[in-house]
Amino acid sequence: MTKERTFVMIKPDAVQRGLVGEIIRRFEQKGTKIVAMKLVSVSRELAEKHYEIHKGKPFFEPTVKYIMSAPVVAMVLEGNDIIEMVRTMIGKTDPMKAEMGTIRGDFCQFIGRNLVHGSDGSDTAEFEISLWFKPEEISKYTKIDERWLQE
Ligand code: IDP
Ligand code: MG
């Protein structure tokens, strides 16, 4: 197991639909550690940088507009193999293909309103964390359940 950090964004539809607590609860119950978190009204510059890998695709502009449409909750989670774990918990990009029990599978229907983002690899996690957070916004601390979560 590798200790990693990942970037999670609770998107505008989740904030508007009152699902922030539910989504954070799922990550907390799984035993993940929140090391940074803030509410952000996303600028076009930030939105375009975040989705720059998708520039040129037909959904680029709608997706940029989507994450600028209302505040988002930006978070950094830390833990063993957390990048893949968060992706598994979020579910497939298209909510109609996402398994029940995942966030997208349980709470949404449209690919362009899919509630939550999680970094898809170690390079993107590093890029996204540095894009959204200053180093001093990321906390280092011991969580008291850590030794009970691990063998
Ligand atoms: P991911 O969020 O599961 O990593 P990506 O393929 O990286 O999915 O796409 C980024 C975001 O762009 C998606 O979460 C979704 O909001 C939006 N998106 C992706 N593909 C489509 C599409 O075909 N139609 C509309 N929106 C899309
Ligand atoms: Mg992606």
Side-chain angles (χ1 to χ4, degrees):
M1 290 223 237
T2 322
K3 193 170 164 189
E4 308 172 317
R5 284 177 175 175
T6 193
F7 173 72
V8 173
M9 171 182 29
I10 303 177
K11 295 181 179 182
D13 47 337
V15 175
Q16 293 293 331
R17 292 177 55 203
L19 290 169
V20 173
E22 169 64 28
I23 291 167
I24 293 174
R25 184 188 66 77
R26 288 181 174 222
F27 292 129
E28 282 192 310
Q29 281 190 338
K30 183 71 176 170
T32 67
K33 180 178 178 182
I34 301 167
V35 294
M37 181 159 68
K38 61 186 174 183
L39 189 78
V40 184
S41 294
V42 181
S43 66
R44 174 163 283 276
E45 193 191 353
L46 177 58
E48 288 189 355
K49 275 195 194 142
H50 177 80
Y51 282 121
E52 73 181 12
I53 196 163
H54 296 302
K55 210 161 188 173
K57 295 180 190 164
F59 64 85
F60 176 74
E61 182 58 24
T63 304
V64 164
K65 286 212 173 88
Y66 165 40
I67 68 154
M68 291 171 62
S69 62
V72 304
V73 176
M75 308 168 72
V76 179
L77 302 182
E78 188 179 270
N80 294 312
D81 297 336
I82 189 112
I83 298 172
E84 194 187 340
M85 187 170 87
V86 164
R87 294 280 295 186
T88 303
M89 291 177 74
I90 290 174
K92 294 205 179 93
T93 307
D94 180 350
M96 297 307 261
K97 298 198 175 103
E99 307 269 349
M100 300 309 289
T102 65
I103 296 167
R104 287 170 174 165
D106 286 353
F107 296 115
C108 58
Q109 301 174 35
F110 290 89
I111 196 165
R113 295 289 180 273
N114 61 2
L115 297 176
V116 57
H117 165 89
S119 307
D120 65 5
S122 50
D123 292 350
T124 40
E126 210 170 296
F127 167 74
E128 290 167 3
I129 291 166
S130 64
L131 179 64
W132 287 80
F133 288 94
K134 299 183 195 120
E136 63 268 26
E137 290 178 307
I138 301 173
S139 295
K140 281 201 175 75
Y141 66 103
T142 302
K143 198 157 167 281
I144 58 164
D145 60 8
E146 276 170 29
R147 72 190 182 96
W148 295 101
L149 280 160
Q150 290 166 25
E151 292 184 331

